Amino acid sequence: MPLEDGDPVRPRGRQVNGEVSSVPRLRGMGDPSLRSTTAPGSSRTDVLAEGWEPGPAPGDGDVTPGGAPQQERKPEEALMTELSELVQEVVKSSSWWERHGVDISILACSFLLLPAGFLCLRSAQAIPFLVGVLTLGVVHHTLTVKGSHLASHNALTKSKSWGKVWAVFFIELCSAFTVEQATYNHVKIHHGYTNIIGLGDSSTWKLPFLNRYVYMFVAPLAVPILTPLVALDLLRNVEWKAALRTLCCMFLGFYCHYWLLLHVSGFQSPWSALLCMLLTRSLLAHPYIHVNIFQHIGLPMFAADRKPKRIHLMSLGVLNLPRNALLDWSFGHSLISCHVEHHLFPSLSDNMCLKIKPIVSQYLKQKKLPYNEDTYSSRLWLFLQRYEELMVHAPPITELVGIQ
């Protein structure tokens, strides 16, 4: 695929359906200083923060093979700068409603649907009961996925103080996870080092001991149970005050849900209430797992000391899925149809990612850069066919020539 100024991109291997199938390189698995980066609260937390302001973005100042001089990197840095300026013009011309109001309204509507969902569960008839399960399931994933994701990027408000409040509410109270670890793992590592082997390569989503059908169709049902267990294990890496706050929020979130099922929905036994909690919290667990692996795994992977510049890294290693009304509402545009835009400009809200999508897609295509898009069914079939290669074995490192 040619780049600007005629620079070719030549992967070691072949390209099939927009994906690079390359020969594994075992050397250069990453800078030791990056692999030893520790979690929040440690003195070695030196991973670059997210940012999208005009100018070189995180990852744009890395040393290239052979110690390339600074002037050789300027054309590629200028790409991100130019795209950032185009996006910033759109953001500045957008109203508060477009920047934050639309997504806040979706979250507010979800809260307003909670009483209806709990009351529907009181019915002894099948249809109202199923409506209640569906309502609570969609609301739960809207708050825990969309709300937590926006809060982790401080995309709900310009205020950092309020941003922290919303992060604790959505990530800890609603999602039963700790803010510090969620922000570190997602914002600092996954976004800072997208598809970099050993860092942001989505390996946390891999369970190689499971076969393809169990992983894709059975294991997601355990997400509501595994999430708090993983969160409890990660509390060892945070300060005791943050750990205590997280424990209190997790307990409050679970207990409120349990109490409402008993006293509002009218469940007669604790076990029936707990079973309903599991059912509603796992309602959209399958697309949640699928979306997280579809949009990165199977795309080019890089070694930390051989990664391309940020705009190339995100255009190569991120994929958009088609718009879907249910998933757009529950997960947000930035996780579904605007994932490329989100990785390039992570501090923007879902609605703003949707608004800048035509600009980003047109710009990348104009510069002859990849703009990966695929359907949900196509990715599902791909993972079922190539599960061993993509989810069990170590991914090959892609060598790209001409963009460093």
Side-chain angles (χ1 to χ4, degrees):
M1 60 190 77
L3 290 176
E4 61 173 346
D5 301 327
D7 289 336
V9 176
R10 298 196 301 271
R12 286 186 61 184
R14 67 187 186 281
Q15 187 164 347
V16 182
N17 297 328
E19 295 180 22
V20 176
S21 175
S22 56
V23 178
R25 287 178 67 253
L26 299 182
R27 73 180 191 276
M29 291 302 289
D31 187 341
S33 64
L34 295 178
R35 291 200 303 270
S36 62
T37 301
T38 54
S42 169
S43 60
R44 303 205 58 179
T45 306
D46 55 0
V47 181
L48 292 172
E50 64 174 327
W52 66 273
E53 293 79 4
D60 283 355
D62 301 313
V63 177
T64 57
Q70 181 71 22
Q71 56 267 28
E72 293 181 9
R73 300 200 297 268
K74 286 184 179 179
E76 282 136 9
E77 292 174 356
L79 287 174
M80 189 66 199
T81 301
E82 183 179 9
L83 178 57
S84 297
E85 290 172 348
L86 293 174
V87 169
Q88 191 178 50
E89 289 179 6
V90 177
V91 174
K92 287 182 176 179
S93 64
S94 301
S95 64
W96 176 89
W97 173 255
E98 293 175 304
R99 295 195 306 269
H100 303 292
V102 172
D103 293 295
I104 291 175
S105 296
I106 291 174
L107 294 172
C109 287
S110 297
F111 278 112
L112 294 177
L113 287 173
L114 281 173
F118 283 110
L119 289 174
C120 282
L121 293 179
R122 294 182 65 92
S123 176
Q125 299 180 359
I127 293 180
F129 184 85
L130 291 176
V131 169
V133 171
L134 178 62
T135 300
L136 291 183
V138 171
V139 168
H140 170 77
H141 284 85
T142 304
L143 300 181
T144 58
V145 180
K146 179 183 176 72
S148 295
H149 188 234
L150 290 174
S152 69
H153 289 286
N154 199 33
L156 286 171
T157 175
K158 293 181 66 175
S159 169
K160 291 186 177 180
S161 299
W162 275 107
K164 292 179 180 178
V165 172
W166 290 125
V168 170
F169 177 79
F170 285 111
I171 299 175
E172 298 191 350
L173 187 69
C174 298
S175 306
F177 215 81
T178 174
V179 168
E180 286 77 9
Q181 284 294 320
T183 303
Y184 176 79
N185 290 325
H186 180 72
V187 178
K188 306 292 186 180
I189 298 298
H190 176 63
H191 274 269
Y193 301 98
T194 302
N195 283 24
I196 302 300
I197 298 293
L199 290 168
D201 58 3
S202 301
S203 59
T204 55
W205 294 101
K206 296 183 178 183
L207 298 174
F209 56 87
L210 297 178
N211 70 50
R212 67 195 68 200
Y213 298 105
V214 172
Y215 179 87
M216 301 297 289
F217 302 113
V218 180
L221 298 174
V223 167
I225 300 173
L226 294 177
T227 298
L229 294 178
V230 172
L232 290 174
D233 180 65
L234 292 176
L235 289 181
R236 298 176 300 172
N237 301 321
V238 301
E239 296 180 353
W240 70 269
K241 291 182 180 179
L244 181 60
R245 182 201 66 221
T246 299
L247 288 172
C248 292
C249 289
M250 288 172 64
F251 174 79
L252 182 60
F254 279 117
Y255 185 76
C256 286
H257 192 176
Y258 174 76
W259 187 92
L260 288 169
L261 288 174
L262 288 179
H263 295 86
V264 176
S265 300
F267 281 84
Q268 299 300 314
S269 71
W271 290 110
S272 61
L274 292 173
L275 182 61
C276 186
M277 286 179 64
L278 178 62
L279 179 61
T280 56
R281 288 171 179 249
S282 62
L283 186 69
L284 297 179
H286 287 82
Y288 174 72
I289 293 292
H290 295 168
V291 165
N292 275 285
I293 63 175
F294 288 174
Q295 294 177 318
H296 295 287
I297 299 176
L299 297 173
M301 298 282 178
F302 306 93
D305 60 347
R306 292 293 187 273
K307 65 178 180 184
K309 296 296 178 261
R310 179 178 177 83
I311 192 168
H312 299 303
L313 184 64
M314 300 311 175
S315 66
L316 287 164
V318 186
L319 177 141
N320 285 344
L321 295 169
R323 293 194 63 178
N324 177 285
L326 177 61
L327 298 185
D328 285 346
W329 178 278
S330 302
F331 295 174
H333 300 298
S334 61
L335 290 179
I336 305 299
S337 62
C338 304
H339 204 52
V340 174
E341 289 75 13
H342 170 64
H343 267 260
L344 286 168
F345 307 102
S347 62
L348 295 183
S349 66
D350 289 331
N351 187 64
M352 283 306 304
C353 284
L354 185 63
K355 187 174 181 179
I356 68 167
K357 181 181 175 72
I359 295 173
V360 173
S361 61
Q362 181 181 0
Y363 183 85
L364 293 181
K365 292 172 183 177
Q366 177 186 349
K367 298 300 181 180
K368 303 276 192 297
L369 291 171
Y371 187 76
N372 296 308
E373 296 179 295
D374 202 359
T375 63
Y376 190 103
S377 59
S378 174
R379 297 301 287 179
L380 180 61
W381 179 247
L382 172 73
F383 273 74
L384 289 176
Q385 292 292 104
R386 297 172 54 190
Y387 181 81
E388 293 289 326
E389 174 189 349
L390 299 178
M391 301 297 291
V392 177
H393 303 306
I397 295 176
T398 303
E399 287 194 77
L400 299 176
V401 179
I403 66 174
Q404 272 85 7

